[in-house]
Amino acid sequence: MIIYFFFFILSLLPLIEGEGLGLARFLLLSSCFPWSIYLLKKKKITLNLVFYLFFLFLTLALISTLISPVFQRSFNILVLYFVYLIYFLLSQALFKENKPLFKKGLNLALLFPSLSLTLLSFYLLSFKDAPAIPAMNLIFPSFGHNHLVDFLVLSFPLSLFLFLKEENRVKKGLFFLLNLIYLAGFILSFSRGGFLLLLFIAGCFFLKLKKTETSFFKKISLKYVLFLGVFVFLLISLSLFSSLFLEENQIRSEFFQKFTRSPSHQSRLEYWHQSFLSFKEKPIFGWGLDNFRYLSKKYQSQSHFWSWYSHNHFLQLFSETGFLGGLCFLGLILLSLKRIFLTSVKDEFNLNWALKISVLASILQSLFDFNWQFSSVFLLFWVILGFLIKDSEESRETKEYLPKLKPYFLMFFVFIAFLIFLTSFLELKGSFYYFKAREYEENNQFTKASFYYEKVLTSWPFKLERWKKIIEYYQDQGDLDKALAVSQKLGLKEPLNGDNYLVLGDLYFEKNDFLKAIQAYEKAVLMNPQQGEKVYLKIVELYLENNLINSKEIIRVLTNLETLKQERCLLLCLGKESEENVNSLLIKLIQQDDEFNKLNPKEQAKVYFWLTILNIHQQNWEEPISYIKKAVKIDNNLKNKEKYQVLLDELLLIQAIDQSYQSNNFNEAETLAFKLIKTPLLSFYQKFYLAKANNILGEIMLRKEDYLKAEEYFLKAIEINPWDQDFYLNLSFIYVKSKKNDKKEMTLNKCLDFNPWSQKCLRNLNK
């Protein structure tokens, strides 16, 4: 009876992975207690090296969990690893008890969910507005593409083997149809990694079939597998070729847009580098299980280059459990592979061989994807591995180490399974309260909703995502005190999550506690430096709106912003509204003598330098020149003074060009403009008035009716600074003169792309 329930759970879990109530996790966790009782009664565990390595890994993972900065998240994953061990041991015990029934059950647990999920994914693909599950699941494209491939990698080698080995024509036809459905599932998952794994599976079968004895069987099977391999290779080539040579806007079909999307190898390299940096910071016991999602944000080199998972399970475990835990898990996988490939019948083409290919393919996928983060996939991986290890051990003598410890280990597993059993009920209870609260909230019964939300926090506080929803609920209800209290508690439970500090800062801001708001915002930047620009600009806005002029704090915030944006950008790349806010704040600062005088000469000069940069694109050159002159005069640092002087000389030159042109002294303006554009680029900001110089040269050539030269200069001005509408208008005037209406329309449309508010470009386009 127990074996039927075992395979029922294995078959059901993939189908309900990611459902909101948590029934899948409840079923998985609660089942461990009866399994452990069964193992205790039968005393069917083997204390070999694989077992001890698995147990040692769990011990190290437990240590990393106990010292984890986010204990709740690490605990949830640690529980799963204990579950995997119990299922691993149970699969070996059940196989030994009834081998034929176990093999049939395993076939069913692989083929039935795969077929169901594949057909369901086909159904969902036929609807553009199909409902989506935001949680981890195998069929909804919540993570770029659906992850059906993660399960098919385990089941496809089995279905391919059954088709090739079956002699009954009807059954062979059914298995052929099953293979076609799975193959379509691979294709419609739009996973490049899935295509490569399919090619790997076909290659393994091709090499194996070359050694089979039956010539007729060999001939037919080789042709089929060879055709499969060639088809997949062409599929990969077509996908890569299309992504490299076709623009996305050239492909109208949504299906082919997904199929030909650019490969994401760059982001994977970034995630692996983030894992390495995380490991370097805590190399012994790591950061705790499932905490990579926070470290990815902390170490991302570009905005949006972060992920929940490292896309390499081994690297992720090195960063989360440290060197010892990562090495132990790597040793566990390598030793398991050694065991299953050391069978007595090495060349036999059988079920075990097909499942070995499944295991290998799944391991390969874990090197560049997060397939093992799906509990149903990783669970089945351990069940298959347990069966293969046990089967291989029966062909040779297996050495046990310290067999006298077996009763103690079994009692320990019963104790752990009982704790997991209790955990599963507490989790389910928390889920029940949460859904009741959501139901009452949707029905506007806010008193009852508040009651159940509070129950959620007390019954099972380990589901951190629900805390954020509860904070939003209290905010919507206008209960800032409760929202703030929950947010503060969440910050203590999840200190690595910068988003929590952003929410906390917003709540302090709403309560007019500006100093605490700023402190919370700056903690958010520490956790996720890539959101520093957004946070610092928010602080600038807060200072400005509430007239908070603290000279030292303003200098510190803007210096951090300058460092974040780097020397080649500084403050002049924040967007028009943000630049105006920074400019207004700095002007307020210099107007308040008592605060401005608190700054040393170097800091005062920096303020004038920033004001110069922020006003450099204005038509009036007097203002930025006056600011930079003050910076040159105040700062005594020779290096800074030299930098400011270079900028002053360049500004004086562009001012002279502009004045000569405005006074109709075109020859002098042309001479000075040529001098400027041929001067080596001494400062990054030169590009803003370099565009102006090219525009003036274009206008001079336009007066001389040298349209080719004028066009060249206007195009250069647009290339340097595509946001100035005057450059486009001048260029379009040339095309009007030369009767090139197509180019005129294209130029003015481009103007509207960069300047959608430009009435001049719009009027000229409609003429």
Side-chain angles (χ1 to χ4, degrees):
M1 184 64 183
I2 196 167
I3 195 169
Y4 293 106
F5 188 47
F6 176 78
F7 283 114
F8 170 76
I9 292 175
L10 287 180
S11 303
L12 181 63
L13 287 179
L15 303 178
I16 59 175
E17 174 120 36
E19 51 78 34
L21 189 57
L23 290 175
R25 186 174 166 91
F26 170 75
L27 190 62
L28 179 60
L29 269 56
S30 61
S31 64
C32 284
F33 185 53
W35 299 157
S36 64
I37 297 293
Y38 172 81
L39 290 173
L40 179 63
K41 284 184 176 180
K42 299 290 183 177
K43 296 182 180 179
K44 289 185 177 180
I45 64 169
T46 306
L47 302 185
N48 54 18
L49 285 177
V50 173
F51 170 82
Y52 280 112
L53 266 179
F54 208 145
F55 190 79
L56 178 59
F57 167 72
L58 287 176
T59 304
L60 294 168
L62 173 63
I63 294 171
S64 70
T65 297
L66 292 174
I67 60 175
S68 168
V70 188
F71 171 78
Q72 289 81 359
R73 194 171 291 283
S74 299
F75 174 82
N76 288 334
I77 301 301
L78 179 67
V79 166
L80 283 179
Y81 275 100
F82 272 104
V83 170
Y84 297 147
L85 176 57
I86 291 172
Y87 269 79
F88 173 79
L89 297 173
L90 184 64
S91 67
Q92 295 182 329
L94 292 176
F95 169 69
K96 191 171 183 179
E97 187 173 284
N98 193 331
K99 294 176 185 178
L101 185 58
F102 184 91
K103 289 183 178 181
K104 288 180 181 178
L106 186 57
N107 288 353
L108 183 66
L110 282 166
L111 298 179
F112 172 71
S114 300
L115 179 61
S116 303
L117 289 169
T118 305
L119 294 176
L120 183 57
S121 71
F122 294 165
Y123 174 76
L124 293 171
L125 279 170
S126 63
F127 293 95
K128 284 189 176 180
D129 300 321
I133 300 176
M136 295 281 290
N137 66 91
L138 293 168
I139 52 174
F140 290 98
S142 305
F143 300 87
H145 59 82
N146 72 45
H147 281 264
L148 177 62
V149 161
D150 300 358
F151 202 88
L152 289 179
V153 158
L154 292 171
S155 58
F156 184 72
L158 173 63
S159 69
L160 184 57
F161 163 76
L162 292 173
F163 163 70
L164 295 173
K165 202 71 174 174
E166 184 58 57
E167 295 180 358
N168 182 285
R169 288 190 176 184
V170 176
K171 290 183 179 179
K172 198 175 188 70
L174 290 174
F175 283 127
F176 177 72
L177 179 61
L178 189 64
N179 272 270
L180 290 181
I181 293 172
Y182 287 169
L183 185 60
F186 269 99
I187 296 170
L188 294 179
S189 71
F190 308 108
S191 167
R192 303 287 174 76
F195 298 163
L196 291 172
L197 289 168
L198 194 56
L199 188 62
F200 166 77
I201 292 168
C204 289
F205 270 82
F206 180 80
L207 294 174
K208 188 67 177 178
L209 287 170
K210 289 185 72 176
K211 299 178 181 179
T212 54
E213 297 176 3
T214 309
S215 58
F216 176 75
F217 170 75
K218 177 179 178 179
K219 186 177 179 181
I220 299 297
S221 301
L222 276 175
K223 283 184 177 180
Y224 176 78
V225 174
L226 185 61
F227 170 78
L228 177 64
V230 171
F231 173 75
V232 175
F233 178 77
L234 291 174
L235 197 67
I236 295 170
S237 302
L238 176 63
S239 178
L240 291 175
F241 177 84
S242 302
S243 65
L244 290 173
F245 297 103
L246 290 178
E247 297 291 335
E248 190 173 337
N249 56 14
Q250 292 179 286
I251 306 170
R252 294 185 178 181
S253 168
E254 185 179 347
F255 171 84
F256 283 105
Q257 282 181 358
K258 292 179 180 178
F259 181 72
T260 59
R261 73 188 192 282
S262 299
S264 55
H265 62 275
Q266 189 63 41
S267 57
R268 280 178 169 79
L269 292 175
E270 173 75 10
Y271 304 149
W272 297 345
H273 185 243
Q274 291 162 5
S275 297
F276 174 70
L277 294 176
S278 307
F279 171 75
K280 271 180 65 178
E281 193 168 346
K282 283 193 174 184
I284 307 300
F285 291 111
W287 289 87
L289 292 168
D290 205 27
N291 283 337
F292 175 79
R293 63 185 68 204
Y294 309 119
L295 305 168
S296 181
K297 284 187 175 182
K298 181 179 179 181
Y299 292 115
Q300 60 182 321
S301 61
Q302 300 178 48
S303 184
H304 306 301
F305 266 58
W306 69 276
S307 173
W308 284 3
Y309 308 115
S310 175
H311 288 66
N312 182 308
H313 200 81
F314 298 92
L315 285 179
Q316 182 160 338
L317 284 179
F318 270 103
S319 68
E320 291 180 347
T321 62
F323 177 76
L324 297 175
L327 188 65
C328 193
F329 184 82
L330 178 62
L332 170 63
I333 296 298
L334 292 177
L335 181 61
S336 299
L337 287 176
K338 181 182 176 183
R339 288 290 173 90
I340 66 175
F341 281 99
L342 287 178
T343 55
S344 57
V345 187
K346 293 184 179 180
D347 295 322
E348 190 174 346
F349 183 62
N350 57 15
L351 174 69
N352 286 26
W353 182 87
L355 291 176
K356 289 175 188 177
I357 300 303
S358 297
V359 167
L360 274 178
S362 189
I363 292 172
L364 284 175
Q365 189 182 15
S366 75
L367 297 177
F368 57 83
D369 214 331
F370 52 89
N371 54 318
W372 286 353
Q373 301 297 339
F374 293 95
S375 56
S376 60
V377 173
F378 208 20
L379 179 70
L380 200 52
F381 170 85
W382 286 112
V383 168
I384 296 171
L385 197 60
F387 151 65
L388 291 174
I389 290 173
K390 194 65 180 177
D391 191 48
S392 67
E393 286 175 350
E394 295 203 345
S395 62
R396 66 184 192 281
E397 187 178 345
T398 304
K399 185 177 180 181
E400 286 199 70
Y401 298 89
L402 303 174
K404 292 181 180 179
L405 294 178
K406 188 179 293 188
Y408 300 103
F409 275 117
L410 288 168
M411 289 298 296
F412 174 75
F413 289 140
V414 170
F415 173 70
I416 292 295
F418 178 70
L419 294 180
I420 293 173
F421 180 75
L422 294 178
T423 297
S424 68
F425 276 94
L426 290 174
E427 284 191 23
L428 191 65
K429 184 180 177 182
S431 297
F432 171 76
Y433 286 145
Y434 179 72
F435 279 93
K436 288 291 288 184
R438 292 293 300 273
E439 182 184 342
Y440 283 124
E441 183 185 356
E442 289 172 5
N443 294 326
N444 297 325
Q445 295 178 286
F446 299 118
T447 303
K448 289 185 177 180
S450 299
F451 171 78
Y452 279 107
Y453 275 135
E454 289 175 10
K455 285 276 190 182
V456 170
L457 298 180
T458 54
S459 62
W460 186 250
F462 282 43
K463 193 77 172 175
L464 298 176
E465 288 76 11
R466 289 175 183 166
W467 286 67
K468 296 164 190 175
K469 175 64 184 76
I470 293 170
I471 293 169
E472 290 175 10
Y473 167 76
Y474 285 132
Q475 279 183 292
D476 293 341
Q477 295 301 306
D479 194 342
L480 294 182
D481 291 330
K482 280 191 176 180
L484 186 60
V486 175
S487 185
Q488 288 170 334
K489 289 179 182 178
L490 180 59
L492 294 174
K493 292 179 181 295
E494 199 180 23
L496 295 181
N497 192 343
D499 293 340
N500 292 341
Y501 295 112
L502 284 179
V503 173
L504 188 60
D506 290 341
L507 289 169
Y508 279 127
F509 179 76
E510 288 186 57
K511 290 181 69 66
N512 297 322
D513 194 339
F514 302 123
L515 290 178
K516 285 187 177 179
I518 291 169
Q519 290 171 0
Y521 288 145
E522 292 192 328
K523 281 186 180 179
V525 178
L526 288 176
M527 296 300 105
N528 183 4
Q530 286 300 321
Q531 64 184 5
E533 179 181 341
K534 171 186 170 184
V535 171
Y536 288 132
L537 290 176
K538 198 165 190 174
I539 293 174
V540 167
E541 189 178 340
L542 190 152
Y543 279 140
L544 198 58
E545 288 181 356
N546 297 279
N547 202 28
L548 299 172
I549 307 301
N550 183 316
S551 57
K552 291 293 184 181
E553 282 297 305
I554 290 172
I555 288 291
R556 186 179 61 80
V557 167
L558 293 182
T559 300
N560 288 339
L561 183 60
E562 179 187 61
T563 304
L564 186 71
K565 300 303 291 184
Q566 300 179 353
E567 181 67 22
R568 286 186 59 78
C569 186
L570 291 182
L571 299 174
L572 196 55
C573 52
L574 306 174
K576 186 178 179 182
E577 185 179 347
S578 298
E579 287 166 16
E580 288 175 355
N581 285 341
V582 175
N583 190 68
S584 300
L585 184 63
L586 290 173
I587 289 173
K588 277 192 173 186
L589 175 59
I590 61 176
Q591 287 173 346
Q592 293 195 15
D593 293 338
D594 55 335
E595 282 294 329
F596 190 64
N597 290 333
K598 291 179 183 178
L599 302 176
N600 60 44
K602 183 179 178 181
E603 291 170 333
Q604 290 180 349
K606 197 64 176 287
V607 170
Y608 286 121
F609 173 65
W610 285 335
L611 283 168
T612 304
I613 300 309
L614 290 166
N615 290 277
I616 210 168
H617 60 288
Q618 303 295 333
Q619 297 297 325
N620 179 14
W621 300 103
E622 290 294 337
E623 195 171 16
I625 287 173
S626 68
Y627 288 137
I628 198 64
K629 280 182 177 179
K630 289 178 181 177
V632 172
K633 183 179 179 181
I634 293 173
D635 202 325
N636 297 320
N637 183 286
L638 292 177
K639 187 177 179 181
N640 289 340
K641 190 181 284 287
E642 183 181 350
K643 181 174 74 171
Y644 298 154
Q645 186 63 52
V646 166
L647 185 55
L648 175 59
D649 293 341
E650 292 172 351
L651 285 172
L652 290 171
L653 181 56
I654 189 63
Q655 183 188 42
I657 295 169
D658 205 20
Q659 287 175 346
S660 298
Y661 182 77
Q662 296 299 331
S663 59
N664 296 326
N665 192 347
F666 301 123
N667 289 333
E668 184 179 348
E670 185 177 354
T671 303
L672 292 173
F674 272 124
K675 179 182 176 182
L676 178 62
I677 64 175
K678 291 183 178 179
T679 302
L681 194 64
L682 297 177
S683 73
F684 170 69
Y685 313 102
Q686 191 182 34
K687 77 172 192 176
F688 294 100
Y689 38 83
L690 203 58
K692 178 73 173 176
N694 275 281
N695 184 63
I696 288 173
L697 283 171
E699 290 181 355
I700 292 171
M701 295 303 161
L702 190 60
R703 287 176 178 275
K704 294 180 178 181
E705 297 186 354
D706 188 345
Y707 297 139
L708 287 176
K709 276 286 184 184
E711 181 185 14
E712 179 185 334
Y713 287 123
F714 289 142
L715 285 170
K716 186 67 177 175
I718 290 171
E719 180 187 341
I720 297 170
N721 181 11
W723 288 275
D724 195 316
Q725 65 174 359
D726 291 339
F727 302 165
Y728 295 98
L729 292 168
N730 288 337
L731 182 59
S732 69
F733 182 71
I734 288 178
Y735 294 140
V736 170
K737 284 281 188 181
S738 55
K739 297 181 180 179
K740 297 178 180 177
N741 290 327
D742 290 345
K743 285 193 172 184
K744 171 204 162 187
E745 288 183 14
M746 185 175 68
T747 300
L748 293 172
N749 279 319
K750 188 177 179 182
C751 172
L752 291 171
D753 287 341
F754 283 93
N755 307 276
W757 58 85
S758 174
Q759 293 299 316
K760 288 183 179 179
C761 287
L762 187 60
R763 281 198 301 270
N764 278 271
L765 183 62
N766 293 328
K767 280 185 180 179

